[in-house]
Amino acid sequence: GRHSMLPRHVQRLGKDWITHWNGSQILTFNSPVSSCMRWAGHYPPWASFPLPISADFSANWRFPPFFGPWRQFQNSYWHLDNYTQSCCFHLPSPSMKSEGEEPLTKKRRLSGQDDTSTPEQETNLSNQKEVSCLSVAQNEEKRDSKKGTIKRHWEYFCQQSKTMKIAKNKGSDQSSTGSEATFDFTVMSYNILSQSLLEGNSHLYKHCRQRLLFWTYRFPNILQEIKELDADVLCLQEVQEDHYRTEIKSSLESLGYHCKYKVRTGRKPDGCAICFKTSKFSLISSNPVEFFRRDIPLLDRDNVGLVLLLQPRFHCKANAAICIANTHLLYNPRRGDIKLTQLAMLLAEIASVAPQKDGSFCPIIICGDFNSVPGSPLYRFIKEGKLNYEGLAIGKVSGQEQFPRGQRILSIPIWPKKLGISQNCVYEIKQQHKEENAEKLEAAEPDNTQEIVIASEKLSSKLRHHFKLSSVYSHYFPETGIPEVTTCHSRSAVTVDYIFYSAANDGTAAQPGEEDSFCGGLKLLGRLALLTEKDLWTVNGLPNEKNSSDHLPLLAEFRLIER
């Protein structure tokens, strides 16, 4: 009943002659037949001799006459005219072992649910599998012709930047451009997709051919991308620790980078890395941030951040510094309370690292995978520096789900006082003087105690931070309004990766991606353009032949404007 759509002798052929290769249900004739077929030690009763099949298989090959009536076989959805040397024959089998090759129709079985299918349903499922296999074979040549290449162009925001970029590509040193008072540098943010997380979430990559998902295939591609983009600072997420120790760190050091790494807590296999060109920067300090706190139930997740203070090597004052932060916030769409607390912890660390002698902050760049979409409350908090979260549902903080399940509201305050971080996202010790002054005011005016308490309660639902940050990217294409995409896999295609920076006040109008008022020390010169979801699916999404992560690298060029 399971293979009733096939003639009996073809069923017997699949049963007696075909041995599944590497746990797969697909037999690919892209090599001599003798290397694919295994003789079972006896021949089927309807064939008293070995099959006279040439080792040189071609698209014009036809089954021998003993396969039965051709019309009957053709009615079973087998169209050999469409097959090339990379064609596939799909013989359904219950002995499927590779989750990465399971069809989408078996998603429920993979999740552990009982198999209650009837024989008729199994037959329909078999039909769907064969049609799917045929579709793959028909589109194989189209995919190969594209070779997974994605065209991304550089967007310039000033003519001088374009001139300097051309000079750099020609091999000229920055000092030879005649602009000795400036310091230009590039920053990349890239989630490179941990191999462990890939294998643990294989349902997100069912659209990919399995060979593209092996680390031995992926890492050379990722390294080549890094070489070609040649950023001065790399902020990498999902960097698997064993791969970092054995090959990533040494490979990047050979390219002139100095690397700092922070692995996630709780025996998690990956973490965040910041790598910088030693020819452009020297390290002042490295400050890892762990978001897990054993004594605070809210903070039971193992995400981390990393904050570096770097000093430019030339064209700058002796005390010039740039703060670079990198993080990967919690994914869970329904735990906005944890996301906001993790963000507050990162901002508090930046606030403790970035102050200068005059009380202002040095230029700041924050990169990472924030697992939040543009326009969400978390995103607005980063850009606007304030968020009133009173009555805000936890599931709406990141905007990942349009209709989040559950209506639990954020508590006021979100995190307990013993965390040591104020609602202004700084460590509490720096606000002790302000609190002492408030207590003195309350003691001097006892009649207004109730008013002061009420005002304090109203302020407690408002988060603030002291950085005026802009986003390098606009998140929508201005001509069409179509969203930009930074990640694309079987489940979704959205923007969750960002580069935020403190923009310099030089009196010029804001460029795209610089919607906030200028305040700080950096001017955005250019960026590597992002793509639409439609663009990415023309090359079968991510990962693909050339792009070996499910995220795109973000890249921006800045100019340090000295005070």
Side-chain angles (χ1 to χ4, degrees), residues 270-290:
D270 65 290
C272 295
I274 299 180
C275 312
F276 59 90
K277 289 280 187 71
T278 55
S279 60
K280 298 290 287 282
F281 298 96
S282 60
L283 180 66
I284 298 175
S285 67
S286 176
N287 309 272
V289 184
E290 294 183 356

Side-chain angles (χ1 to χ4, degrees), residues 44-56:
W46 49 269
S48 58
F49 52 88
L51 288 179
I53 300 177
S54 169
D56 188 12

Side-chain angles (χ1 to χ4, degrees), residues 158 160-161 164 174 179 181-185 322 504 521-525 557-562:
C158 68
Q160 187 177 6
S161 170
M164 295 182 67
Q174 187 175 7
S179 182
T182 63
F183 178 75
D184 296 352
F185 62 101
I322 299 173
L522 295 172
K523 180 177 181 179
L524 180 61
L525 301 181
E557 183 178 16
F558 298 102
R559 174 166 298 162
L560 177 62
I561 306 296
E562 296 183 277

